[in-house]
Amino acid sequence: MSASELAARVRQALDVDGEAFNERARAEAEELKSAVRSGTFDNSEAIVGMELELYAVDDRTDALRRVPRQLLELIGFEKELGLHNAEMQTSPQPLNSHGLAAQRNELKASLMPAEQRLGSEGIRLVADGMWTVPPNGETAESYLCDAVEHDGVRIGTNMSDSVRYHTMANTEYPAAFELDAPNVSLSAPTVMPEALITSIQPHYQIPHAPDLPEYFSYALRVAGPLLALGVNAPFFPPDLYDDAPDHEIVDQAHMENRIGVFESVLNPPAEDPTPPKVCFPPDFETVEEAIDDIVADDVIVPMDLQSGGRFDDDFVHFRHKHGSYWRWVRPVFEGATRSAANARIEFRPLPAQPTLADAIGFEAVFAGLMASLPRFEHPIQSLDWETARDNFYAAVEDGLRADIEWITANGASTTATDELYGELFELARDGLEQRGLSTEEAHEYIRPLRERVDRRLTPARWKHDFVRRRVEENVPLAEAIWGMQAQYIRNQRDTLLSGSFVDWFDSPGETDERR
């Protein structure tokens, strides 16, 4: 799409009557509530799925690479925000032995030919929480901030040609478009800094849609522990750091900067009274309350939409609001056909992981917890919402070293890491076995994550230890971060499809100075 065509479509989007859009969304929500209560969105069993985001690098230099759009379509991946991004989604599968195996095999079946095809162009796809090496000959700041004005419309040069992304930079919604992290500050003209980060997003479809609030409350309370286990983004591209001593930047680094990037770029500035959109969500008492929360959320880019051939096009304006309903855990109601209509929980805190086995491990553990916690009426549900939120942001800062509060099956409160995760993994194993997995199969999915706890080593800690050690050896910070990134990509080359992060534990990035 040419710049003039894109600008024209952005102007067209800006002319949409926002209040008329919201009125239609509210009316559709009332119809949706009736459909949910009538059983239309129920499933005979729990269903799982996943979104996987990656970024592309030069196969020789590890520098970020733009992926030609035709090439992206050729390998069957979807566009994401940046020209360097690629995304795939698995087909929903029943939560059982065959369903989880199908999820794993579908990811492998898509990534293997994609790697081969991109490899012939000198491009490698990387699963990682944040890239740190900008394109050859560019800085991260210039890549993220480059934009042009075309007929009064601001267009991000390195953004995909999605009208929604570009319209965000031209609306009156007061998104900050800033990075606000320890020793990092950047202001951009568009949403593009959000393209620093990539994620995995496990999905869990609720068997009985009106029960969504119960499952949702459990999902909020495991968000902190699971994020602490999955942290993978402690460092930014070096040129984005302020002028501070290298050792201070390392010492003050958060273990999961992806959370802060998403919040600081897309939320309004702190002094603005507009409520934040990227946030830890509230509990819901009823499924209607969850639907109402989506309706009440500000829509950044209202669209003039028409019903199509999908069943859920009867709720097309309501569904569109999901596109900017940015909660770290969010409810979704959709389905291409009446029989496929579903209510699901999208679990969004997790960064992309070093290998597919790790990604599927998180999908399995999350799904196992969703299957077991409500069945046992586990007392973790009684944990104060404020404490669950504090657990989440403690995990952002310190990963597995965070003091995370957990309530055990006997009602006791603990912050002991081994006790917390020992119970969490047993609950996940029980949930998977209840869905037909053997004990051995359940342990196979859980083992890569259990090993992280046993070793007190997450991907972020692996990265942080690598860089910290180099800085202590008086290696400049930029060189230390890029050396870490090169080692990460080398390790992933051999393990992405057929190994796990466990296989990295004896690599040069490991240190014995963990606790």
Side-chain angles (χ1 to χ4, degrees), residues 186 204 323 329 366:
L186 176 75
Y204 185 87
V329 184
F366 177 66

Side-chain angles (χ1 to χ4, degrees), residues 139-208:
T139 65
E141 181 175 359
S142 66
Y143 181 76
L144 295 171
C145 294
D146 194 16
V148 297
E149 293 276 345
H150 197 286
D151 293 338
V153 174
R154 191 180 310 122
I155 296 175
T157 306
N158 295 305
M159 289 167 59
S160 298
D161 60 358
S162 168
V163 173
R164 181 170 70 97
Y165 293 141
H166 291 277
T167 305
M168 287 180 191
N170 293 277
T171 68
E172 295 181 357
Y173 183 80
F177 299 156
E178 296 177 349
L179 293 179
D180 182 11
N183 298 297
V184 173
S185 55
L186 176 75
S187 295
T190 71
V191 70
M192 184 62 186
E194 198 257 322
L196 275 166
I197 57 179
T198 44
S199 69
I200 60 169
Q201 296 178 20
H203 300 172
Y204 185 87
Q205 293 185 18
I206 307 303
H208 184 50

Side-chain angles (χ1 to χ4, degrees), residues 75-332:
I75 63 175
F77 280 63
E78 299 178 19
K79 294 184 292 187
E80 245 292 331
L81 175 59
L83 294 179
H84 58 277
N85 289 126
E87 178 184 305
M88 68 169 295
Q89 300 183 20
T90 60
S91 305
Q93 297 287 343
L95 175 55
N96 57 36
S97 176
H98 300 296
L100 284 173
Q103 294 278 298
R104 178 181 57 204
N105 292 336
E106 185 176 359
L107 290 173
K108 288 184 177 181
S110 297
L111 274 172
M112 187 177 296
E115 281 192 328
Q116 294 171 347
R117 182 65 183 85
L118 291 173
S120 66
E121 303 289 335
I123 298 173
R124 171 166 293 276
L125 291 176
V126 178
D128 192 2
M130 181 184 293
W131 55 267
T132 60
V133 185
N136 287 320
E138 303 177 59
T139 65
E141 181 175 359
S142 66
Y143 181 76
L144 295 171
C145 294
D146 194 16
V148 297
E149 293 276 345
H150 197 286
D151 293 338
V153 174
R154 191 180 310 122
I155 296 175
T157 306
N158 295 305
M159 289 167 59
S160 298
D161 60 358
S162 168
V163 173
R164 181 170 70 97
Y165 293 141
H166 291 277
T167 305
M168 287 180 191
N170 293 277
T171 68
E172 295 181 357
Y173 183 80
F177 299 156
E178 296 177 349
L179 293 179
D180 182 11
N183 298 297
V184 173
S185 55
L186 176 75
S187 295
T190 71
V191 70
M192 184 62 186
E194 198 257 322
L196 275 166
I197 57 179
T198 44
S199 69
I200 60 169
Q201 296 178 20
H203 300 172
Y204 185 87
Q205 293 185 18
I206 307 303
H208 184 50
D211 293 337
L212 183 141
E214 180 182 15
Y215 288 84
F216 196 83
S217 68
Y218 282 116
L220 294 186
R221 282 149 183 83
V222 301
L226 290 183
L227 176 59
L229 195 60
V231 289
N232 193 21
F235 293 110
F236 287 84
D239 72 87
L240 296 183
Y241 283 109
D242 300 330
D243 186 14
D246 290 355
H247 69 89
E248 287 187 12
I249 291 173
V250 174
D251 291 345
Q252 296 170 12
H254 289 171
M255 289 297 101
E256 190 45 63
N257 283 299
R258 176 178 165 267
I259 303 299
V261 167
F262 206 176
E263 292 188 349
S264 65
V265 170
L266 293 170
N267 283 337
E271 65 275 11
D272 193 287
T274 306
K277 290 172 63 63
V278 186
C279 60
F280 193 77
D283 286 317
F284 301 119
E285 292 293 328
T286 65
V287 69
E288 288 87 355
E289 190 177 324
I291 293 171
D292 287 339
D293 197 60
I294 297 169
V295 171
D297 189 61
D298 287 329
V299 62
I300 294 182
V301 186
M303 300 288 283
D304 188 8
L305 303 168
Q306 302 297 322
S307 294
R310 290 173 57 105
F311 163 73
D312 55 14
D313 279 344
D314 289 345
F315 318 108
V316 66
H317 297 86
F318 175 85
R319 284 176 52 227
H320 180 73
K321 291 183 75 77
H322 277 121
S324 61
Y325 182 74
W326 295 311
R327 306 300 192 266
W328 291 117
V329 184
R330 73 178 179 186
V332 175

Side-chain angles (χ1 to χ4, degrees), residues 13-86:
L14 292 170
D15 289 338
V16 172
D17 185 335
E19 185 50 41
F21 172 92
N22 287 324
E23 286 182 9
R24 288 192 287 269
R26 285 191 288 268
E28 292 170 0
E30 294 306 311
E31 295 295 324
L32 175 61
K33 292 175 187 177
S34 297
V36 167
R37 284 295 178 188
S38 70
T40 301
F41 285 78
D42 291 353
N43 291 283
S44 59
E45 55 188 327
I47 306 291
V48 293
M50 178 183 288
E51 296 178 28
L52 172 67
E53 298 171 355
L54 307 106
Y55 62 77
V57 301
D58 186 280
D59 202 21
R60 293 182 301 104
T61 67
D62 301 330
L64 201 69
R65 279 281 298 269
R66 300 165 177 86
V67 183
R69 302 296 87 180
Q70 288 183 332
L71 185 56
L72 194 64
E73 294 174 4
L74 184 63
I75 63 175
F77 280 63
E78 299 178 19
K79 294 184 292 187
E80 245 292 331
L81 175 59
L83 294 179
H84 58 277
N85 289 126

Side-chain angles (χ1 to χ4, degrees), residues 354-411:
T355 75
L356 294 187
D358 295 291
I360 293 296
F362 274 109
E363 180 182 34
V365 166
F366 177 66
L369 291 170
M370 291 299 95
S372 64
L373 290 169
R375 187 169 62 86
F376 285 128
E377 298 182 352
H378 194 282
I380 190 60
Q381 191 178 30
S382 67
L383 185 73
D384 289 344
W385 177 88
E386 290 81 4
T387 304
R389 179 200 56 198
D390 292 346
N391 283 345
F392 182 79
Y393 288 104
V396 167
E397 293 193 18
D398 295 320
L400 279 179
R401 295 184 182 178
D403 287 329
I404 293 177
E405 185 174 339
W406 180 261
I407 299 178
T408 65
N410 62 11

